Amino acid sequence: MRLEYFQLIDRITELNLTELTVRAEANVPAASTIFEGHFPGYPLMPGVLLIETMAQTSGWLVIARMNFERMPFLAAVKQAKLRTFVQPGQSLQVSATLAHEGSGYMVTDAEIRADGKLVCDASLTLRTMPFPNPEFRANMTEVAKRIGLPMGAVVDG
Amino acid sequence: MSSTFDTVANIIAETCDIPRDTIKPESHAIDDLGIDSLDFLDIAFAIDKAFGIKLPLEQWTQEVNDGKATTEQYFVLKNLSARIDDLVAAKGA
């Protein structure tokens, strides 16, 4: 995770476009300016960043499902529950399942676990739109390669 | 048609916290009930699930933007209910 850059997914470990599921790893850094304020003397991963982590993981599933033809944007967060504290240095396992594919939007069920223990979960709605410009799409493709999104699975369906 | 409308009206009432008795077949979801696009996503999700269909929201929006259709054709609830019935019938055909 590079929290300050909102790069929250380190690696996609599994993408299944038949089951419509995705799994990812996200390692919370040992140090970050964010922890200086949240909170002094008791650093905790902000809940909003955990939700964003679930959203980004969901986003990779959606973008793969749409074969990189459209970009997902987080539109709604429902039933979000932050169940345990997450501290610097922890390794997180993130997963998401496509719950519904609508016209111009998708809904996922996402969760994060640490050492098998449920950290948080939510139902997320993502709008899908055409990429606003080719550079945006190219950047997303680059990021996808960097984090190991299996592009063959995307192309082959 | 009436049962479809009732289902849609109940979904809208629950999703948007709008009193059920203010939701009429003649109500325009946007102009009369003040439903915005994000709330309509929730409604579409609930309708999709309830009827086992996929409301073609993007196609409808495009048609309205292109001047090929009016919002009344899709977002007045009796018309929306009729569209849903058509989609359900098409699915079963």
Side-chain angles (χ1 to χ4, degrees):
Chain A
M1 287 178 154
R2 295 177 74 203
L3 301 184
E4 292 80 0
Y5 290 88
F6 261 54
Q7 294 176 0
L8 301 181
I9 303 302
D10 291 319
R11 195 166 72 91
I12 300 290
T13 54
E14 184 184 315
L15 172 69
N16 187 326
L17 290 178
T18 305
E19 301 286 330
L20 298 174
T21 58
V22 65
R23 294 182 182 279
E25 286 178 353
N27 299 307
V28 182
S32 162
T33 54
I34 286 174
F35 297 134
E36 294 173 16
H38 193 280
F39 297 93
Y42 195 72
L44 291 178
M45 180 74 168
V48 291
L49 290 180
L50 293 173
I51 290 170
E52 174 68 16
T53 302
M54 291 190 287
Q56 290 189 9
T57 303
S58 297
W60 288 116
L61 174 60
V62 170
I63 204 170
R65 170 71 175 164
M66 311 209 80
N67 228 341
F68 279 76
E69 289 170 1
R70 297 169 71 94
M71 176 68 193
F73 295 94
L74 181 61
V77 179
K78 292 179 191 163
Q79 299 290 326
K81 292 181 178 170
L82 305 166
R83 298 171 187 273
T84 60
F85 289 156
V86 173
Q87 295 171 324
Q90 279 195 272
S91 292
L92 306 177
Q93 297 83 48
V94 198
S95 63
T97 301
L98 194 64
H100 182 71
E101 187 168 358
S103 171
Y105 72 98
M106 295 202 192
V107 180
T108 68
D109 294 323
E111 66 175 40
I112 298 178
R113 290 179 181 268
D115 296 324
K117 186 177 179 184
L118 188 60
V119 167
C120 61
D121 54 299
S123 172
L124 306 173
T125 302
L126 299 101
R127 283 185 199 271
T128 63
M129 301 178 182
F131 282 95
N133 56 58
E135 293 77 15
F136 196 147
R137 186 178 188 276
N139 180 61
M140 293 306 293
T141 305
E142 279 304 305
V143 175
K145 288 177 183 166
R146 191 186 72 226
I147 63 174
L149 189 80
M151 302 297 279
V154 174
V155 173
D156 298 339
Chain B
M1 155 60 190
S2 61
S3 67
T4 300
F5 167 75
D6 286 337
T7 303
V8 171
N10 289 339
I11 287 171
I12 290 173
E14 188 171 329
T15 304
C16 300
D17 203 18
I18 294 172
R20 172 65 182 82
D21 58 6
T22 64
I23 303 171
K24 310 289 186 192
E26 297 74 25
S27 301
H28 191 299
I30 301 164
D31 297 343
D32 296 329
L33 301 178
I35 297 169
D36 67 15
S37 63
L38 183 56
D39 279 336
F40 208 85
L41 279 192
D42 281 343
I43 292 166
F45 180 32
I47 288 174
D48 285 359
K49 283 200 299 184
F51 293 96
I53 58 173
K54 182 170 169 178
L55 280 187
L57 285 183
E58 287 201 300
Q59 179 193 325
W60 292 355
T61 303
Q62 192 64 49
E63 288 176 15
V64 169
N65 290 343
D66 291 345
K68 295 175 182 169
T70 64
T71 59
E72 286 76 9
Q73 287 174 253
Y74 298 123
F75 297 107
V76 168
L77 297 190
K78 63 181 179 185
N79 297 337
L80 176 62
S81 299
R83 304 279 177 185
I84 291 169
D85 287 339
D86 290 344
L87 289 164
V88 171
K91 186 186 67 167

